[in-house]
Amino acid sequence: MATPEDTRDIAHDIDAFKQAFRRLAAGVSVITGRTPDGLPVGFTATSLASLAAVPPMASFNMARVSTAWPAIEGTEHVLIHMLGSRNRAIAERMSGRHEDRFNGDHWQPGPAGLPLLKDVPAWMLGRIIGRHPHHGNAVVVVQIQDGALGADDEALLYFERAYHRLHPLD
Amino acid sequence: MATPEDTRDIAHDIDAFKQAFRRLAAGVSVITGRTPDGLPVGFTATSLASLAAVPPMASFNMARVSTAWPAIEGTEHVLIHMLGSRNRAIAERMSGRHEDRFNGDHWQPGPAGLPLLKDVPAWMLGRIIGRHPHHGNAVVVVQIQDGALGADDEALLYFERAYHRLHPLD
């Protein structure tokens, strides 16, 4: 079906590229770490993906101007949290004002002293085994060293700049 | 809330790792290419993620034993397709028997002669700018060179080994 949108050039039209990726729904996760100075940092991510099960590895993407980049560049470990629909407030907090992200009782010190979010469906301790810079951004690869499953939940999704839940297609 | 699951060791229990990632819902895409010999290859992916908008870049993950790996290793371009709920049959076909994946009229030759799936919400031509091997797998990074938006659709999601649609959380 032809629409006026069809003519937009994704490679040179930033808005068209962003719109294309908005059409890809994504699960929501939060990555946390500590800077070499010990400050807790973290951010909501929609790029977390499994890389392999043997050995267990995962990847996520980030900007190298991000406040969390010093933790990725200068330390060895991060915590990865899969969010459920009960965790929406955490997703919003961890993508909001930096000074508010660790202001509350939604986290506690976890493995390796890293900020561990409470009451998430799953979390993992990742050892950083790859930092692959591309222009101002980087793909980060971790090998999973620890983790646990929490109480199950409906998935939390991000699509077209809003949070969503799922329902089965059939 | 404590459950018996809480004690499972994600780092050394493959099933627990897989279960954790099943709790992360993912948008569904299809990557296509051609081997150096010209054979069309493709696969359904749940790891596609935006890396940056300027310049437009994306990443996806794959096994290096995959039938599509020779196309990634030995050629320069792939096509990336974001799927909508109307494309479920394509998602199933492109993750099913290899000999059936290009047996039908759901595709046509596209940019650079690569297999272009018909009637998807968005597609992009990616030039491969990074192949980052980790054990038997790889993170592949592409820079977007072309693409178009098709007719919009509900998102197609994969979660707990089944296809899903979305609905708004509020």
Side-chain angles (χ1 to χ4, degrees):
Chain A
M1 186 168 85
T3 74
E5 293 178 333
D6 288 340
T7 61
R8 294 181 65 182
D9 178 344
I10 283 181
H12 299 101
D13 178 339
I14 292 168
D15 288 338
F17 175 82
K18 289 183 175 176
Q19 188 171 345
F21 265 98
R22 284 201 300 268
R23 293 183 178 183
L24 185 75
V28 180
S29 62
V30 167
I31 316 293
T32 61
R34 282 195 190 270
T35 67
D37 294 338
L39 296 176
V41 291
F43 58 96
T44 299
T46 55
S47 60
L48 179 66
S50 172
L51 175 57
V54 184
M57 297 186 292
S59 66
F60 59 88
N61 299 342
M62 62 187 297
R64 289 191 285 152
V65 295
S66 134
T67 55
W69 178 249
I72 300 297
E73 190 175 37
T75 71
E76 285 298 301
H77 291 90
V78 292
L79 288 182
I80 293 170
H81 311 76
M82 274 79 159
L83 302 197
S85 62
R86 68 177 180 270
N87 303 128
R88 179 190 178 152
I90 288 180
E92 290 172 338
R93 178 181 290 272
M94 298 302 290
S95 57
R97 288 159 36 105
H98 288 283
E99 54 269 43
D100 293 338
R101 293 188 184 182
F102 295 96
N103 182 11
D105 65 354
H106 57 292
W107 68 286
Q108 59 193 20
L114 299 171
L116 177 65
L117 301 178
K118 298 177 181 175
D119 189 32
V120 292
W123 64 265
M124 302 177 178
L125 173 67
R127 183 171 67 84
I128 300 168
I129 61 172
R131 302 168 184 87
H132 305 296
H134 288 278
H135 299 278
N137 301 272
V139 177
V140 182
V141 178
V142 298
Q143 185 163 339
I144 304 305
Q145 295 190 314
D146 193 5
L149 299 171
D152 205 357
D153 195 359
E154 288 190 287
L156 182 66
L157 273 294
Y158 198 69
F159 176 66
E160 292 282 8
R161 294 183 286 194
Y163 290 101
H164 288 74
R165 293 186 299 144
L166 291 173
H167 56 141
L169 198 56
D170 281 335
Chain B
M1 188 165 85
T3 74
E5 295 177 331
D6 287 342
T7 60
R8 295 181 65 181
D9 178 345
I10 283 180
H12 299 99
D13 178 340
I14 292 169
D15 287 339
F17 175 80
K18 289 183 175 176
Q19 188 171 345
F21 265 99
R22 285 202 299 271
R23 292 182 180 183
L24 184 75
V28 180
S29 62
V30 167
I31 316 293
T32 61
R34 284 197 188 265
T35 66
D37 294 337
L39 296 176
V41 292
F43 57 97
T44 301
T46 56
S47 60
L48 180 66
S50 172
L51 175 57
V54 183
M57 298 186 292
S59 65
F60 59 88
N61 299 342
M62 61 187 299
R64 289 191 285 152
V65 295
S66 134
T67 55
W69 178 250
I72 301 298
E73 190 174 37
T75 72
E76 285 298 300
H77 292 90
V78 292
L79 288 182
I80 293 169
H81 310 77
M82 274 79 161
L83 302 196
S85 62
R86 68 178 179 271
N87 303 127
R88 179 190 178 155
I90 288 180
E92 290 172 337
R93 177 181 291 272
M94 299 301 290
S95 58
R97 288 161 34 109
H98 288 283
E99 54 269 44
D100 292 338
R101 292 188 185 182
F102 294 97
N103 182 12
D105 65 353
H106 58 292
W107 69 285
Q108 60 192 19
L114 299 171
L116 177 64
L117 300 178
K118 297 178 181 175
D119 190 32
V120 292
W123 65 265
M124 302 177 178
L125 173 67
R127 183 170 67 84
I128 300 168
I129 61 172
R131 302 168 182 86
H132 305 296
H134 289 278
H135 299 279
N137 300 272
V139 176
V140 181
V141 177
V142 297
Q143 185 162 339
I144 304 305
Q145 296 191 315
D146 194 5
L149 299 170
D152 205 357
D153 195 359
E154 287 189 287
L156 181 65
L157 273 295
Y158 199 69
F159 177 66
E160 293 282 7
R161 293 183 287 193
Y163 290 101
H164 288 74
R165 293 185 299 143
L166 291 172
H167 57 139
L169 197 57
D170 279 336

